[in-house]
Amino acid sequence: MGFVIGLTIWLIGALIFFFILYLVIQTAVDNSELAQTLRNIERLLAARPASPERPLPERGALPQEDGEQQEVCPGCGAHAGISAEICPACGLRLGGTAD
């Protein structure tokens, strides 16, 4: 009988430990920079009006303006310079290289 009580207490303690561990890891993930970036992208995509009649052009088919090749912002579909770090229309970080 004492073994059953000891095993039950051990299992309850293990469950509490793993639940607390889960909460700590979940809080760390939710507060990470990656999670913030994903929430920003989700917010931008949700705010963007749907336009099925205007598909995004392929990257190679974009015109060159001022001698610089253009790319399409994945958040809003606006054209931005290939070296732009931030989309001029929506402010999404593009990951271009600074000159």
Coordinates of all heavy atoms in Angstrom, one line a residue:
M1 N 0.8 -1.2 0.0 CA 0.0 0.0 0.0 C 0.9 1.3 0.0 O 0.5 2.2 -0.7 CB -0.9 0.0 1.2 CG -1.9 1.1 1.3 SD -3.1 0.9 -0.1 CE -4.4 1.8 0.6
G2 N 2.0 1.2 0.7 CA 2.9 2.4 0.8 C 3.5 2.6 -0.6 O 3.8 3.8 -0.9
F3 N 3.8 1.5 -1.3 CA 4.4 1.7 -2.6 C 3.4 2.4 -3.6 O 3.9 3.3 -4.3 CB 4.7 0.3 -3.2 CG 5.2 0.3 -4.6 CD1 6.5 0.8 -4.9 CD2 4.3 -0.1 -5.6 CE1 6.9 0.8 -6.2 CE2 4.8 0.0 -6.9 CZ 6.1 0.4 -7.2
V4 N 2.1 2.1 -3.5 CA 1.2 2.8 -4.4 C 1.0 4.2 -4.1 O 1.0 5.1 -5.0 CB -0.2 2.0 -4.3 CG1 -1.3 2.8 -5.1 CG2 -0.1 0.6 -4.7
I5 N 1.1 4.6 -2.8 CA 1.0 6.0 -2.4 C 2.2 6.7 -2.8 O 2.2 7.8 -3.4 CB 0.8 6.1 -0.9 CG1 -0.6 5.6 -0.5 CG2 0.9 7.6 -0.4 CD1 -0.9 5.5 1.0
G6 N 3.4 6.1 -2.7 CA 4.6 6.7 -3.1 C 4.7 6.9 -4.6 O 5.1 8.0 -5.1
L7 N 4.3 5.9 -5.3 CA 4.2 6.0 -6.8 C 3.3 7.1 -7.2 O 3.6 7.9 -8.2 CB 3.8 4.7 -7.4 CG 3.8 4.6 -8.9 CD1 5.2 4.9 -9.5 CD2 3.3 3.3 -9.4
T8 N 2.1 7.2 -6.6 CA 1.1 8.3 -6.9 C 1.7 9.7 -6.7 O 1.6 10.6 -7.5 CB -0.2 8.0 -6.1 OG1 -0.6 6.7 -6.4 CG2 -1.2 9.1 -6.5
I9 N 2.3 9.8 -5.5 CA 2.9 11.1 -5.2 C 4.1 11.5 -6.2 O 4.2 12.6 -6.7 CB 3.5 11.1 -3.8 CG1 2.3 11.1 -2.8 CG2 4.3 12.4 -3.5 CD1 2.7 10.9 -1.3
W10 N 4.9 10.5 -6.6 CA 5.9 10.7 -7.6 C 5.4 11.1 -8.9 O 5.9 12.0 -9.6 CB 6.8 9.4 -7.7 CG 7.9 9.6 -8.6 CD1 9.2 10.1 -8.3 CD2 8.0 9.3 -10.0 NE1 10.0 10.1 -9.4 CE2 9.2 9.7 -10.5 CE3 7.0 8.8 -10.9 CZ2 9.6 9.5 -11.8 CZ3 7.4 8.6 -12.2 CH2 8.7 9.0 -12.7
L11 N 4.3 10.4 -9.4 CA 3.7 10.8 -10.6 C 3.1 12.2 -10.6 O 3.2 12.9 -11.6 CB 2.6 9.7 -11.0 CG 3.1 8.4 -11.5 CD1 1.9 7.4 -11.6 CD2 3.8 8.5 -12.8
I12 N 2.4 12.6 -9.5 CA 1.9 13.9 -9.4 C 3.0 14.9 -9.4 O 2.9 16.0 -10.1 CB 1.0 14.0 -8.1 CG1 -0.3 13.2 -8.3 CG2 0.6 15.5 -7.9 CD1 -1.1 13.1 -7.0
G13 N 4.1 14.7 -8.7 CA 5.2 15.6 -8.7 C 5.8 15.7 -10.1 O 6.2 16.8 -10.6
A14 N 6.0 14.6 -10.8 CA 6.5 14.6 -12.2 C 5.6 15.4 -13.1 O 6.1 16.2 -14.0 CB 6.7 13.2 -12.7
L15 N 4.3 15.2 -13.0 CA 3.4 16.0 -13.8 C 3.5 17.5 -13.6 O 3.5 18.3 -14.5 CB 1.9 15.5 -13.6 CG 1.6 14.2 -14.2 CD1 0.2 13.7 -13.8 CD2 1.6 14.3 -15.7
I16 N 3.6 17.9 -12.3 CA 3.7 19.3 -12.0 C 5.0 19.8 -12.5 O 5.1 20.9 -13.1 CB 3.6 19.5 -10.4 CG1 2.2 19.2 -10.0 CG2 4.1 20.9 -10.0 CD1 2.0 19.1 -8.5
F17 N 6.1 19.1 -12.4 CA 7.4 19.5 -12.9 C 7.4 19.7 -14.4 O 7.8 20.8 -14.9 CB 8.5 18.4 -12.6 CG 9.8 18.7 -13.3 CD1 10.7 19.7 -12.8 CD2 10.1 18.0 -14.4 CE1 11.9 19.9 -13.5 CE2 11.3 18.2 -15.1 CZ 12.2 19.2 -14.6
F18 N 6.8 18.8 -15.1 CA 6.8 18.9 -16.6 C 5.8 20.0 -17.0 O 6.1 20.6 -18.1 CB 6.5 17.6 -17.3 CG 7.6 16.6 -17.3 CD1 7.6 15.5 -16.5 CD2 8.8 16.9 -18.0 CE1 8.7 14.6 -16.5 CE2 9.9 16.1 -18.0 CZ 9.8 14.9 -17.2
F19 N 4.8 20.2 -16.3 CA 3.9 21.3 -16.6 C 4.6 22.7 -16.5 O 4.5 23.6 -17.3 CB 2.6 21.3 -15.8 CG 1.6 22.3 -16.1 CD1 0.9 22.4 -17.3 CD2 1.4 23.4 -15.2 CE1 0.0 23.4 -17.6 CE2 0.6 24.4 -15.5 CZ -0.2 24.4 -16.7
I20 N 5.3 22.8 -15.4 CA 6.0 24.1 -15.1 C 7.1 24.2 -16.2 O 7.3 25.3 -16.7 CB 6.6 24.1 -13.7 CG1 5.5 24.2 -12.7 CG2 7.6 25.2 -13.6 CD1 6.0 24.0 -11.3
L21 N 7.8 23.2 -16.6 CA 8.8 23.2 -17.6 C 8.2 23.6 -18.9 O 8.7 24.4 -19.7 CB 9.5 21.8 -17.7 CG 10.6 21.7 -18.7 CD1 11.8 22.7 -18.3 CD2 11.1 20.3 -18.8
Y22 N 7.0 23.1 -19.3 CA 6.3 23.5 -20.5 C 6.0 24.9 -20.5 O 6.2 25.6 -21.5 CB 5.0 22.6 -20.6 CG 4.1 23.2 -21.6 CD1 4.3 22.9 -23.0 CD2 3.0 23.9 -21.3 CE1 3.4 23.4 -23.9 CE2 2.1 24.4 -22.2 CZ 2.3 24.2 -23.5 OH 1.4 24.7 -24.5
L23 N 5.5 25.5 -19.4 CA 5.2 26.9 -19.3 C 6.4 27.8 -19.5 O 6.3 28.8 -20.2 CB 4.5 27.2 -18.0 CG 3.1 26.6 -17.8 CD1 2.6 27.0 -16.4 CD2 2.1 27.2 -18.8
V24 N 7.5 27.4 -18.9 CA 8.7 28.2 -19.1 C 9.2 28.2 -20.5 O 9.5 29.2 -21.1 CB 9.8 27.6 -18.1 CG1 11.2 28.2 -18.5 CG2 9.5 27.9 -16.7
I25 N 9.2 27.0 -21.2 CA 9.6 27.0 -22.6 C 8.6 27.7 -23.5 O 9.0 28.5 -24.4 CB 9.7 25.5 -23.0 CG1 10.9 24.8 -22.3 CG2 9.9 25.4 -24.5 CD1 11.0 23.3 -22.5
Q26 N 7.3 27.6 -23.2 CA 6.3 28.3 -24.0 C 6.5 29.8 -23.9 O 6.4 30.5 -24.9 CB 4.9 27.8 -23.6 CG 3.8 28.4 -24.5 CD 3.9 27.8 -25.9 OE1 4.3 26.6 -26.1 NE2 3.6 28.5 -26.9
T27 N 6.8 30.3 -22.7 CA 7.0 31.7 -22.5 C 8.2 32.2 -23.2 O 8.2 33.3 -23.8 CB 7.1 32.0 -21.0 OG1 5.9 31.6 -20.3 CG2 7.2 33.5 -20.7
A28 N 9.3 31.4 -23.2 CA 10.5 31.8 -23.9 C 10.3 31.9 -25.4 O 10.8 32.8 -26.1 CB 11.6 30.8 -23.5
V29 N 9.6 30.9 -25.9 CA 9.3 30.9 -27.4 C 8.4 32.1 -27.8 O 8.6 32.7 -28.8 CB 8.7 29.5 -27.8 CG1 8.2 29.6 -29.2 CG2 9.7 28.4 -27.6
D30 N 7.4 32.3 -27.0 CA 6.4 33.4 -27.3 C 7.1 34.8 -27.3 O 6.7 35.7 -28.0 CB 5.2 33.4 -26.3 CG 4.3 32.3 -26.7 OD1 4.4 31.7 -27.8 OD2 3.4 32.0 -25.8
N31 N 8.1 34.9 -26.4 CA 8.8 36.2 -26.3 C 10.0 36.3 -27.2 O 10.7 37.3 -27.1 CB 9.2 36.5 -24.8 CG 8.0 36.6 -24.0 OD1 6.9 37.1 -24.4 ND2 8.1 36.3 -22.7
S32 N 10.2 35.4 -28.0 CA 11.4 35.4 -28.9 C 11.2 36.4 -30.0 O 10.1 36.8 -30.4 CB 11.8 34.0 -29.4 OG 10.8 33.6 -30.4
E33 N 12.4 36.8 -30.6 CA 12.3 37.7 -31.8 C 11.7 37.1 -33.0 O 10.9 37.7 -33.7 CB 13.8 38.1 -32.1 CG 13.8 39.2 -33.2 CD 15.2 39.6 -33.5 OE1 16.1 39.5 -32.7 OE2 15.4 40.1 -34.7
L34 N 11.9 35.8 -33.2 CA 11.2 35.1 -34.3 C 9.7 35.1 -34.2 O 9.0 35.3 -35.1 CB 11.8 33.6 -34.3 CG 11.1 32.7 -35.4 CD1 11.4 33.3 -36.8 CD2 11.7 31.3 -35.3
A35 N 9.2 34.9 -32.9 CA 7.8 34.9 -32.7 C 7.2 36.3 -33.0 O 6.1 36.4 -33.6 CB 7.4 34.5 -31.3
Q36 N 7.9 37.3 -32.6 CA 7.5 38.7 -32.9 C 7.5 39.0 -34.4 O 6.5 39.6 -34.9 CB 8.5 39.7 -32.2 CG 8.4 39.7 -30.7 CD 7.1 40.1 -30.1 OE1 6.4 40.9 -30.7 NE2 6.8 39.6 -28.9
T37 N 8.5 38.5 -35.1 CA 8.5 38.7 -36.5 C 7.4 38.0 -37.2 O 6.7 38.5 -38.1 CB 9.9 38.2 -37.1 OG1 10.9 38.9 -36.4 CG2 10.0 38.4 -38.6
L38 N 7.1 36.8 -36.8 CA 6.0 36.0 -37.4 C 4.7 36.7 -37.1 O 3.8 36.7 -37.9 CB 6.0 34.6 -36.8 CG 7.1 33.7 -37.3 CD1 7.1 32.4 -36.6 CD2 7.1 33.5 -38.8
R39 N 4.5 37.2 -35.9 CA 3.2 38.0 -35.6 C 3.1 39.2 -36.5 O 2.0 39.6 -36.9 CB 3.2 38.3 -34.1 CG 2.7 37.2 -33.2 CD 2.4 37.6 -31.8 NE 3.5 37.9 -31.0 CZ 4.2 37.0 -30.3 NH1 3.8 35.7 -30.4 NH2 5.2 37.3 -29.6
N40 N 4.2 39.9 -36.7 CA 4.2 41.1 -37.6 C 3.8 40.7 -39.0 O 3.0 41.4 -39.7 CB 5.6 41.8 -37.6 CG 5.8 42.6 -36.3 OD1 4.9 42.9 -35.6 ND2 7.1 42.8 -36.0
I41 N 4.4 39.6 -39.5 CA 4.1 39.2 -40.8 C 2.6 38.8 -40.9 O 1.9 39.1 -41.9 CB 5.0 38.0 -41.3 CG1 6.4 38.5 -41.5 CG2 4.4 37.3 -42.5 CD1 7.4 37.4 -41.7
E42 N 2.1 38.1 -39.9 CA 0.7 37.7 -39.9 C -0.2 38.9 -39.9 O -1.2 39.0 -40.6 CB 0.4 36.8 -38.7 CG -1.0 36.3 -38.6 CD -1.2 35.5 -37.3 OE1 -0.4 35.5 -36.4 OE2 -2.3 34.8 -37.3
R43 N 0.2 39.9 -39.1 CA -0.6 41.1 -39.0 C -0.6 41.9 -40.4 O -1.7 42.3 -40.8 CB -0.1 42.1 -37.9 CG -0.8 43.4 -37.8 CD -0.2 44.3 -36.7 NE 1.2 44.5 -36.9 CZ 1.8 45.3 -37.7 NH1 1.0 46.1 -38.5 NH2 3.1 45.5 -37.8
L44 N 0.5 41.9 -41.0 CA 0.6 42.6 -42.3 C -0.2 41.9 -43.4 O -0.9 42.5 -44.2 CB 2.1 42.7 -42.8 CG 2.9 43.7 -42.0 CD1 4.4 43.6 -42.4 CD2 2.4 45.1 -42.3
L45 N -0.1 40.5 -43.4 CA -0.9 39.8 -44.3 C -2.4 39.8 -44.1 O -3.2 39.9 -45.0 CB -0.4 38.3 -44.3 CG 1.0 38.1 -44.9 CD1 1.4 36.6 -44.7 CD2 1.1 38.5 -46.4
A46 N -2.8 39.9 -42.8 CA -4.2 40.0 -42.5 C -4.8 41.4 -42.9 O -5.9 41.5 -43.3 CB -4.4 39.8 -41.0
A47 N -3.9 42.4 -42.8 CA -4.4 43.8 -43.1 C -4.4 44.0 -44.6 O -5.0 45.0 -45.1 CB -3.5 44.8 -42.4
R48 N -3.6 43.2 -45.4 CA -3.5 43.4 -46.8 C -4.8 43.0 -47.5 O -5.3 41.9 -47.3 CB -2.3 42.6 -47.3 CG -2.1 42.7 -48.8 CD -0.9 41.9 -49.2 NE -1.3 40.9 -50.2 CZ -0.6 40.0 -50.7 NH1 0.6 39.8 -50.2 NH2 -1.1 39.2 -51.6
P49 N -5.3 43.9 -48.4 CA -6.6 43.5 -49.1 C -6.3 42.4 -50.1 O -5.2 42.4 -50.7 CB -7.0 44.8 -49.8 CG -5.8 45.6 -49.9 CD -4.9 45.2 -48.7
A50 N -7.2 41.5 -50.2 CA -7.0 40.4 -51.2 C -7.2 40.9 -52.6 O -8.1 41.6 -52.9 CB -8.0 39.3 -50.9
S51 N -6.3 40.5 -53.5 CA -6.4 40.9 -54.9 C -6.1 39.8 -55.8 O -5.0 39.7 -56.3 CB -5.4 42.1 -55.1 OG -4.1 41.7 -54.8
P52 N -7.0 38.8 -56.0 CA -6.7 37.7 -56.8 C -6.5 38.0 -58.3 O -6.0 37.2 -59.0 CB -8.0 36.8 -56.6 CG -9.0 37.7 -56.2 CD -8.3 38.8 -55.4
E53 N -7.0 39.2 -58.7 CA -6.9 39.5 -60.1 C -5.5 40.0 -60.4 O -5.1 40.2 -61.6 CB -7.9 40.6 -60.5 CG -7.7 42.0 -59.8 CD -8.3 42.1 -58.4 OE1 -9.0 41.2 -58.0 OE2 -8.0 43.1 -57.8
R54 N -4.6 40.3 -59.4 CA -3.3 40.8 -59.7 C -2.3 39.8 -59.0 O -1.9 40.0 -57.9 CB -3.1 42.2 -59.1 CG -1.8 42.8 -59.4 CD -1.7 44.2 -58.7 NE -1.6 44.0 -57.3 CZ -0.6 44.4 -56.6 NH1 0.4 45.1 -57.1 NH2 -0.6 44.2 -55.3
P55 N -1.9 38.8 -59.8 CA -0.8 37.9 -59.2 C 0.5 38.6 -59.1 O 0.8 39.5 -59.9 CB -0.8 36.7 -60.2 CG -1.3 37.3 -61.5 CD -2.2 38.4 -61.1
L56 N 1.3 38.1 -58.2 CA 2.6 38.7 -58.0 C 3.5 38.3 -59.1 O 3.5 37.1 -59.5 CB 3.2 38.3 -56.7 CG 2.6 38.8 -55.4 CD1 3.2 38.2 -54.2 CD2 2.6 40.3 -55.3
P57 N 4.3 39.2 -59.7 CA 5.2 38.8 -60.8 C 6.4 38.0 -60.3 O 6.7 38.1 -59.1 CB 5.6 40.1 -61.4 CG 5.5 41.1 -60.3 CD 4.3 40.6 -59.5
E58 N 7.0 37.2 -61.2 CA 8.2 36.5 -60.8 C 9.3 37.5 -60.6 O 9.4 38.5 -61.2 CB 8.5 35.5 -61.9 CG 7.6 34.4 -62.1 CD 7.5 33.5 -60.9 OE1 8.5 33.2 -60.3 OE2 6.4 33.1 -60.5
R59 N 10.3 37.1 -59.7 CA 11.4 38.0 -59.4 C 12.2 38.4 -60.6 O 12.6 39.5 -60.8 CB 12.2 37.3 -58.3 CG 13.4 38.2 -57.9 CD 14.2 37.5 -56.8 NE 15.2 38.4 -56.4 CZ 15.8 38.4 -55.3 NH1 15.4 37.6 -54.4 NH2 16.8 39.2 -55.0
G60 N 12.4 37.5 -61.5 CA 13.3 37.8 -62.7 C 12.5 38.6 -63.7 O 13.2 39.3 -64.5
A61 N 11.2 38.7 -63.6 CA 10.4 39.5 -64.6 C 10.2 40.9 -64.2 O 9.5 41.7 -64.8 CB 9.1 38.8 -64.8
L62 N 10.8 41.3 -63.0 CA 10.5 42.7 -62.5 C 11.4 43.7 -63.3 O 12.5 43.4 -63.7 CB 10.9 42.8 -61.0 CG 9.9 41.9 -60.2 CD1 10.4 42.0 -58.7 CD2 8.5 42.4 -60.3
P63 N 10.8 44.9 -63.5 CA 11.6 45.9 -64.2 C 12.7 46.5 -63.3 O 12.7 46.3 -62.1 CB 10.5 47.0 -64.4 CG 9.6 46.8 -63.3 CD 9.5 45.4 -63.0
Q64 N 13.7 47.1 -64.0 CA 14.7 47.8 -63.3 C 14.4 49.3 -63.2 O 14.1 49.9 -64.3 CB 16.1 47.5 -64.0 CG 16.5 46.1 -63.9 CD 17.9 45.9 -64.4 OE1 18.6 46.9 -64.8 NE2 18.4 44.7 -64.4
E65 N 14.5 49.8 -62.1 CA 14.3 51.2 -61.9 C 15.6 51.9 -61.4 O 16.1 51.4 -60.4 CB 13.1 51.5 -60.9 CG 11.8 51.0 -61.5 CD 10.7 51.2 -60.5 OE1 10.9 51.9 -59.4 OE2 9.6 50.8 -60.7
D66 N 16.0 52.9 -62.0 CA 17.2 53.6 -61.6 C 18.4 52.7 -61.6 O 19.3 52.8 -60.7 CB 17.1 54.3 -60.2 CG 16.0 55.3 -60.1 OD1 15.7 55.9 -61.2 OD2 15.3 55.4 -59.0
G67 N 18.4 51.7 -62.5 CA 19.6 50.8 -62.6 C 19.6 49.8 -61.6 O 20.6 49.0 -61.5
E68 N 18.6 49.6 -60.8 CA 18.6 48.6 -59.7 C 17.5 47.6 -60.0 O 16.3 48.0 -60.2 CB 18.4 49.3 -58.3 CG 18.5 48.3 -57.2 CD 18.3 48.9 -55.8 OE1 17.7 50.0 -55.8 OE2 18.8 48.3 -54.9
Q69 N 17.8 46.3 -59.9 CA 16.7 45.3 -60.1 C 15.8 45.4 -58.9 O 16.1 45.7 -57.8 CB 17.3 43.9 -60.2 CG 16.3 42.9 -60.5 CD 16.9 41.5 -60.8 OE1 18.1 41.4 -60.9 NE2 16.1 40.5 -60.9
Q70 N 14.5 45.1 -59.2 CA 13.5 45.2 -58.2 C 13.1 43.8 -57.7 O 13.3 42.8 -58.4 CB 12.2 45.9 -58.8 CG 12.5 47.3 -59.3 CD 12.7 48.3 -58.1 OE1 11.8 48.4 -57.3 NE2 13.9 48.9 -58.0
E71 N 12.5 43.7 -56.5 CA 11.9 42.5 -56.0 C 10.5 42.8 -55.5 O 10.2 44.0 -55.2 CB 12.8 41.8 -55.0 CG 12.9 42.6 -53.7 CD 13.6 41.8 -52.6 OE1 13.5 40.5 -52.6 OE2 14.4 42.4 -51.9
V72 N 9.7 41.8 -55.3 CA 8.4 42.0 -54.7 C 8.4 41.7 -53.2 O 8.9 40.7 -52.8 CB 7.4 41.0 -55.5 CG1 6.0 41.1 -54.8 CG2 7.3 41.3 -56.9
C73 N 7.8 42.6 -52.5 CA 7.6 42.4 -51.0 C 6.6 41.3 -50.8 O 5.5 41.3 -51.3 CB 7.2 43.7 -50.4 SG 6.8 43.5 -48.6
P74 N 7.0 40.2 -50.0 CA 6.0 39.2 -49.7 C 4.9 39.6 -48.9 O 3.9 38.9 -48.8 CB 6.9 38.1 -49.0 CG 8.0 38.9 -48.4 CD 8.3 40.0 -49.4
G75 N 5.0 40.7 -48.2 CA 3.9 41.2 -47.3 C 2.9 42.0 -48.0 O 1.7 41.8 -47.8
C76 N 3.3 42.9 -48.9 CA 2.3 43.7 -49.5 C 2.3 43.7 -51.1 O 1.4 44.2 -51.7 CB 2.5 45.2 -49.1 SG 4.0 45.9 -49.7
G77 N 3.3 43.1 -51.7 CA 3.3 43.0 -53.1 C 3.9 44.2 -53.8 O 4.0 44.3 -55.0
A78 N 4.4 45.2 -53.0 CA 5.0 46.4 -53.6 C 6.4 46.1 -54.1 O 7.1 45.1 -53.7 CB 5.1 47.5 -52.5
H79 N 6.9 46.9 -55.1 CA 8.2 46.7 -55.6 C 9.2 47.4 -54.7 O 9.0 48.6 -54.3 CB 8.3 47.3 -57.0 CG 7.5 46.5 -58.0 ND1 7.9 46.3 -59.3 CD2 6.4 45.8 -57.9 CE1 7.0 45.6 -59.9 NE2 6.1 45.3 -59.1
A80 N 10.3 46.8 -54.4 CA 11.4 47.3 -53.6 C 12.7 47.0 -54.3 O 12.8 46.0 -55.0 CB 11.3 46.8 -52.2
G81 N 13.7 47.8 -54.0 CA 15.0 47.5 -54.6 C 15.6 46.2 -54.1 O 15.3 45.8 -52.9
I82 N 16.3 45.5 -54.9 CA 16.9 44.2 -54.5 C 17.7 44.3 -53.3 O 17.8 43.4 -52.5 CB 17.6 43.6 -55.7 CG1 17.8 42.1 -55.5 CG2 19.0 44.2 -55.9 CD1 16.7 41.3 -55.9
S83 N 18.3 45.5 -53.0 CA 19.2 45.6 -51.8 C 18.5 46.3 -50.6 O 19.1 46.5 -49.6 CB 20.4 46.4 -52.2 OG 20.1 47.7 -52.6
A84 N 17.1 46.5 -50.8 CA 16.4 47.2 -49.7 C 16.3 46.2 -48.5 O 16.0 45.0 -48.7 CB 15.0 47.5 -50.2
E85 N 16.5 46.8 -47.3 CA 16.3 46.0 -46.1 C 14.9 46.0 -45.6 O 14.4 45.1 -44.9 CB 17.2 46.5 -45.1 CG 18.7 46.3 -45.4 CD 19.6 46.7 -44.3 OE1 19.2 46.7 -43.1 OE2 20.8 47.0 -44.5
I86 N 14.1 47.1 -45.9 CA 12.8 47.3 -45.5 C 11.9 47.7 -46.6 O 12.3 48.5 -47.5 CB 12.7 48.4 -44.4 CG1 13.6 48.0 -43.2 CG2 11.3 48.7 -44.0 CD1 13.7 49.0 -42.1
C87 N 10.7 47.1 -46.7 CA 9.8 47.5 -47.8 C 9.3 48.9 -47.6 O 8.9 49.3 -46.5 CB 8.6 46.6 -47.8 SG 7.3 47.1 -48.9
P88 N 9.4 49.8 -48.6 CA 9.0 51.2 -48.5 C 7.5 51.3 -48.3 O 7.0 52.3 -47.8 CB 9.5 51.8 -49.8 CG 9.6 50.7 -50.8 CD 9.9 49.5 -50.0
A89 N 6.7 50.3 -48.7 CA 5.2 50.5 -48.6 C 4.7 50.0 -47.2 O 3.9 50.7 -46.6 CB 4.6 49.7 -49.7
C90 N 5.2 48.9 -46.8 CA 4.6 48.3 -45.5 C 5.6 48.2 -44.4 O 5.1 48.0 -43.2 CB 4.0 46.9 -45.8 SG 5.2 45.6 -46.2
G91 N 6.9 48.4 -44.6 CA 7.8 48.4 -43.5 C 8.3 47.0 -43.1 O 9.0 46.8 -42.2
L92 N 8.0 46.0 -43.9 CA 8.4 44.6 -43.6 C 9.9 44.5 -43.8 O 10.4 45.0 -44.8 CB 7.6 43.6 -44.5 CG 8.0 42.1 -44.3 CD1 7.4 41.7 -42.9 CD2 7.4 41.3 -45.4
R93 N 10.6 43.8 -42.9 CA 12.0 43.6 -43.1 C 12.2 42.6 -44.2 O 11.8 41.5 -44.1 CB 12.7 43.2 -41.8 CG 14.2 43.1 -41.9 CD 14.8 42.9 -40.6 NE 14.1 42.0 -39.7 CZ 14.5 41.7 -38.5 NH1 15.6 42.2 -38.0 NH2 13.8 40.9 -37.7
L94 N 13.0 42.9 -45.3 CA 13.2 42.1 -46.4 C 14.4 41.2 -46.4 O 14.5 40.2 -47.0 CB 13.2 42.9 -47.7 CG 11.9 43.7 -48.0 CD1 12.1 44.6 -49.2 CD2 10.7 42.7 -48.2
G95 N 15.4 41.7 -45.6 CA 16.6 40.9 -45.5 C 17.6 41.2 -46.7 O 18.5 40.4 -46.9
G96 N 17.5 42.3 -47.3 CA 18.4 42.7 -48.4 C 19.7 43.1 -47.8 O 19.9 43.2 -46.6
T97 N 20.7 43.3 -48.6 CA 22.0 43.7 -48.1 C 22.2 45.2 -48.3 O 21.8 45.8 -49.3 CB 23.2 43.0 -48.9 OG1 23.0 43.3 -50.3 CG2 23.1 41.5 -48.7
A98 N 22.8 45.8 -47.3 CA 23.0 47.3 -47.4 C 24.2 47.5 -48.3 O 25.2 46.8 -48.3 CB 23.3 47.8 -46.0
D99 N 24.2 48.6 -49.1 CA 25.3 48.9 -50.0 C 26.3 49.7 -49.2 O 26.1 50.4 -48.3 CB 24.8 49.7 -51.1 CG 23.9 48.9 -52.1 OD1 24.1 47.7 -52.1 OD2 23.1 49.4 -52.8

